[in-house]
Amino acid sequence: MNATRHPADHLLYSADEDDLRATVRAFLSEAATATSILARIETDEPYAHQDWVTLAYEIGLAGLPIAEEAGGVGATWREVAVVAEEIGRTVAPLPFLGTVLATATLLGTPQRPDTLDLLAAIAAGPTLTTLAVPLTASPTSDIATTVGADGLELTGTVNAVADLAPAQRILVPAQTADGSVGLYLVDADSDGVGIESVTSLDLTRPIAALRLRSAPATLLAHGHDAEAALRRALSVGAAILAAEQVGIAAYCLDSTVEYVKTRYQFGRPVGSYQAVKHRLAELHVNLGQARAAARYAASCVAEADRDAPIAVGVAQAFCSRTAIQAAEEAIQLHGGIGFTWEHPAHLYLKRAKADQLALGSAEAHHATLATLLDLPA
């Protein structure tokens, strides 16, 4: 670990972060209720577009990590992680993750005028941009591309892309003629661009396949610059996803504790039984550890700290399992009502399971940590 500073210095929330959390929670508590989300995901328009407009552009969340000179707020990924926690608490169907990945990618490329214009468009809206990589892509795996570039035309398919359907602009990694990786910008409404919805486990975060056939594109970065930007974006995305998993677990724990206090069985509250107390106490401890891991990961990617690969791997591996544990406990301890479609518990389990597979599984991160820390196989 970095000996020049103490990790605990970065685990607490600042006053500004507390204010940001309060603003986002107040909005989502009214806009993203369980009833409205359940009704929306059964339609052809699962995304809450107007809610995203309010959060991203009126409140300014899309521009949080973007510098002020590029039209953003000039905050860091720490603040973005706070927003992710609150989105995790509601599992709101918002194109948040795709925006994070696209923003992180652009911030990692050489800051030319065209890149700054793209960042300004993300911050000011209403242009929505996403990164065309499979949701399961890992930050530490090789940058594999399934799209080929013939000059400034792209052909190929990228499966399971998050937040692709509502995007107007798409960042596409592609293999160039010399065998290196290029990062290209494609307009979603251009000729040769097809977007095909895919049935996903998590209905609150739809995925889609991108199909390109001689689609016109603009080259943004090439070779080492492109690969470094993509790897950095996936690492940032994994850190932010860990924060979302903390939010999922926090809601599941809070709602379950509240329920077992008021649900009576055999003349006494369910929460008074020792077995239930032990299960919730264990989850409470795990949640505290998960929050610490996620906060440290967010701080490391915000500062481009050398500990970032380790911090992100630990956070993703631990937080994903904690979110699953919390969602499963919520369903089981809510009893019969927890297994119904009308209760939101299944939404949290599905988001937690989808997040567990996203941006590197726990097993993939463990394998990476073993390599980084020189542990025996």
Side-chain angles (χ1 to χ4, degrees), residues 145-157 172-177 184 212 214-215:
T145 60
T146 53
V147 175
D150 182 7
L152 293 179
E153 293 185 346
L154 305 184
T155 299
T157 299
V172 184
Q175 186 173 20
T176 63
Y184 295 82
L212 303 172
S214 299

Side-chain angles (χ1 to χ4, degrees), residues 253-265 268-272 276 280 333:
L253 176 60
D254 292 347
S255 62
T256 304
V257 168
E258 188 63 29
Y259 180 80
V260 299
K261 286 181 180 178
T262 58
R263 174 75 170 116
Y264 277 69
Q265 191 73 30
R268 56 187 287 192
V270 172
S272 67
V276 174
L280 293 175
L333 294 180

